[in-house]
Amino acid sequence: MTVPNTPPDPAPADVQAVPDAASDPFAPPQGVTDLGHGTTPLGQRLLPEVRVGAGVVIACLVAGLVVAGLWAWLAPKVPLVVDGDRILYADPEGEQRAGADALFVLIALGAGIVTALGAFLVTRRRGGGISVALGLTIGGLLGSIGAWRIGRWLGPSSDLIGEARRVGDGGHFDASIDLGALGALLVWPMTAMVVLLMLSAAFGKREEDPPPYWGAPMGAAPAGAPLGPWDGPGTGSGTETGSGTGH
């Protein structure tokens, strides 16, 4: 038995055709599917990310040249002395080798902070992205290796026999600089990643969360939800008439 003045249940097609119904906030953008195949080819969407990552790597390589020059210039040198047919340490108790490693770590630490800060400021408007993190990781590692190799080349010669012959018996010269702990090469990329993470968490671009599906206005059903017999025009009159008719 049907209660008088009760509107029929609308069909699903009628619900979707309501002009005032809000769109699903969690629905994917039109033209993009879950598999990434949409109106925009995948290659065109990845090309900007590749450009950003490549730019970060190139910037790190340029910074590596600066690191190499500073290390070769400031690193403490190991003094050697020629004694007949022998080459001896002029200061056997010296800590110049450890000092060169420590200086490289400090310069790489500063390079990691500077490159991460620069990459964050340049890409902040676009929201950063995984390409920035990968660029800093790869670029920092390559920059450290390049700084190590170029710094050795810029420093004193590694040809000890040739240098000993050049200065003669009793002469002094400096040994080449080198890294005793190759783990120092990881300081730059690790520092850059930590600084980038901190900057992104504190000052990164924020995106507004979509409204929840239960956040519909008072008295309005959520979009796509089926309407019950109590929704729609004539709700009050139908209830009163139904109660009166039942009696």
Side-chain angles (χ1 to χ4, degrees):
M1 181 175 180
T2 304
V3 180
N5 295 333
T6 301
D9 293 340
D14 297 336
V15 176
Q16 297 178 0
V18 177
D20 295 335
S23 58
D24 185 3
F26 299 100
Q30 295 184 0
V32 179
T33 62
D34 295 338
L35 299 178
H37 302 286
T39 57
T40 304
L42 182 61
Q44 293 184 6
R45 288 186 284 115
L46 290 180
L47 185 59
E49 300 294 329
V50 174
R51 289 177 177 175
V52 171
V56 174
V57 172
I58 293 175
C60 291
L61 293 178
V62 174
L65 298 177
V66 179
V67 173
L70 290 176
W71 186 49
W73 177 35
L74 299 176
K77 309 300 188 296
V78 178
L80 302 176
V81 59
V82 180
D83 182 16
D85 57 351
R86 298 180 302 172
I87 301 176
L88 306 176
Y89 286 105
D91 184 12
E93 305 263 340
E95 298 291 340
Q96 290 85 356
R97 293 287 187 187
D101 289 5
L103 180 64
F104 187 91
V105 169
L106 291 177
I107 299 176
L109 187 67
I113 295 175
V114 171
T115 52
L117 180 60
F120 173 77
L121 294 177
V122 171
T123 61
R124 181 182 180 185
R125 180 170 297 181
R126 71 186 299 271
I130 188 63
S131 59
V132 180
L134 289 177
L136 285 175
T137 303
I138 299 174
L141 183 58
L142 294 179
S144 294
I145 296 176
W148 170 43
R149 297 289 189 180
I150 297 176
R152 291 175 55 188
W153 177 71
L154 293 176
S157 175
S158 59
D159 185 8
L160 299 182
I161 303 300
E163 289 294 312
R165 290 175 176 173
R166 182 181 63 84
V167 299
D169 188 16
H172 292 73
F173 64 98
D174 295 330
S176 61
I177 59 175
D178 200 357
L179 281 179
L182 295 182
L185 299 176
L186 301 177
V187 173
W188 183 346
M190 293 176 63
T191 302
M193 291 302 301
V194 172
V195 173
L196 179 65
L197 180 61
M198 295 174 58
L199 292 175
S200 300
F203 309 104
K205 183 179 179 181
R206 299 290 187 269
E207 295 183 359
E208 297 183 0
D209 295 333
Y213 65 88
W214 60 82
M218 183 68 68
L227 299 177
W230 53 85
D231 296 324
T235 301
S237 59
T239 304
E240 296 175 0
T241 305
S243 60
T245 305
H247 293 287

